[in-house]
Amino acid sequence: MITQRIFQWAKQTPERTAVVYNGKAFSYRSFARAIAIARGYFARHGYLGPGYAVLAVSNRMNFWILSLALRSLGLTTVSVESQATLLKLGLTNVRCVITTPGEIREGLDGLCTELGLKLLSVSLAGETVLPLERPEAPHPLGGHILLTSGTTGIFKMVLMTPETDADILRLHVELFGIDQHSLLSVFSFGTWTGGGYKWAACPWTVGGATLIEQGGKTYQALLRPGITHAILHPAGLAAILAAPAGAFLRNDTMRLAVGSGAMTRTQVDQAKARITSQLFHYFVSTEAGLIAFTSLDTPEDQRWHRLVPGRMVEIVDASDRPVPIGEVGQVRVDTAGGPTGYLNDETATRTFFRGGFFYSGDLAVMRSDGRIALQGRITDVINMQGIKISPAPIEERLGEVLGLNGVCLFSIQNDSGEEELHVVLETPKPIDSERLIAAIKKELPRLFYGARVHCLATLPRNHMGKVLRQEVRAQVMPTAAINPNGAQLRANAAPLRLSR
């Protein structure tokens, strides 16, 4: 679907800009021609579908040219950022691993040999054009695989087909107001992510342009002229706001949407003061796409999300029954028009895709007007500044440093809509505050700007000795530490606030 739209615009508006890559503009004519040349190369070498092609290509422009060419020939692509990711894929019928001259990564050749995979360094010099209209492989168009760790902390594969592209990209375009006059900056989002794939492709469906900036500092993308739309995650926003005053100009004609994590109140205020007054927040998952999209016009908008019109989103208890207004439960969203499972992972699919819904692992509360506020995650994964990590290694290190048998970490949005990290220590007696602060500052990742520390004599555990995170959260939160069934428990420990 994406390739066909690009070729369509190449006929209708050949000179209109399709891509701006590191400052160099590519028209729809040149973009379509590059894809057609790549199609000719792959067809001549016999790379026709079905099957998979793994792209170990860091250059985002090269990725899009090669991926769209392969998809048009019936192959499904996946982008890998490291050899470790390649090892985890576990795909059968991988036709090739693709690099470009100068991009072959150290050890990749040996790994491909070990895995029995063909490594192909693609050079398109001297290749002939294979137009899209020319007969090709007698197979359906291929898809693209996104990688996510949002629900389990372990990479899972989500297949985007031409059919899901059509529905999901249309929704992105409509919500963000993208049209043929738009220039959308995706900065340097990875092509294996939902942001780097879905948002980047949106403008091409309506004849607009995508700006991709690799290398250098994040804020340098804002120096490119004509940006009308931009998307970021909170960590990327923090990097821009760390730039010195005057590093870039404020652009109130640009719409900036920040997702994949919660912004702090300070970040919201600074973004409006320094970048643009048109600031949005989106609640999204790789699996289900956009769930909420909110213009940050008033202070409450940071905490209370506006659900995407037409999407069925429910807050349910542990028995999948919708909870009453004002009570906390699990977020589930219908899978209509999107992926309905993980690729090659039946266990995770059964856990997170059930009855036509995707269970995102988020906890939320809904109010009477239909807006929702997130309340943290039911899974062990911590989401801070848009970065999802497993807390286990941090908990283990803190336990060792402090000489404790148990440590539990979780994150939750506070009343201002900011994501807060909570550290719960299993200790019957207080720990020296200086020692505690030193240990936490050393062991927590730099993306955590602060933490609230609680002490419990004993952490609640199940019969296998596993810490029951939701019960821990319910015990230590001041008032609204609510479990998935809506039962409220009072805190029995006073928090200690740490700041960086």
Side-chain angles (χ1 to χ4, degrees), residues 17 68 74 108 122 151 227-228 243 298 402 414 433 447 460 491:
T17 298
L68 292 175
L108 183 59
V122 175
T151 53
I227 299 175
T228 60
T298 67
L402 297 173
N414 61 23
S433 60
L447 60 93

Side-chain angles (χ1 to χ4, degrees), residues 399-431:
E400 291 177 354
V401 170
L402 297 173
L404 304 177
N405 292 326
V407 177
C408 179
L409 274 66
F410 63 88
S411 65
I412 189 171
Q413 288 189 2
N414 61 23
D415 291 339
S416 299
E418 299 178 1
E419 198 81 17
E420 280 189 340
L421 178 70
H422 293 256
V423 181
V424 186
L425 308 176
E426 186 177 54
T427 175
K429 57 183 180 180
I431 297 176

Side-chain angles (χ1 to χ4, degrees), residues 347-404:
T347 300
T349 295
R350 286 194 301 268
T351 301
F352 296 101
F353 291 86
R354 305 194 303 273
F357 288 91
F358 168 68
Y359 291 72
S360 68
D362 296 285
L363 297 173
V365 60
M366 182 177 289
R367 67 186 191 186
S368 58
D369 62 359
R371 298 179 71 169
I372 67 170
L374 298 178
Q375 300 288 307
R377 297 180 61 79
I378 198 169
T379 60
D380 293 351
V381 176
I382 291 175
N383 181 358
M384 291 291 291
Q385 295 288 299
I387 307 297
K388 300 181 180 70
I389 65 168
S390 171
I394 303 172
E395 292 168 343
E396 182 177 352
R397 291 197 303 268
L398 276 174
E400 291 177 354
V401 170
L402 297 173
L404 304 177

Side-chain angles (χ1 to χ4, degrees), residues 184-197:
L184 169 65
S185 173
V186 295
F187 296 89
S188 61
F189 269 88
T191 48
W192 55 270
T193 67
Y197 175 79

Side-chain angles (χ1 to χ4, degrees), residues 164 167-168 170-171 198 283 285-292 307-316 330-341 352-360:
T164 56
D167 286 336
I168 290 175
R170 174 185 50 78
L171 183 61
K198 299 173 188 176
F283 172 31
S285 73
T286 303
E287 298 88 342
L290 286 171
I291 301 171
L307 297 177
V308 170
R311 296 217 67 179
M312 182 180 293
V313 180
E314 295 181 343
I315 313 298
V316 299
Q330 301 182 51
V331 176
R332 70 177 188 180
V333 56
D334 71 281
T335 56
T340 57
F352 296 101
F353 291 86
R354 305 194 303 273
F357 288 91
F358 168 68
Y359 291 72
S360 68

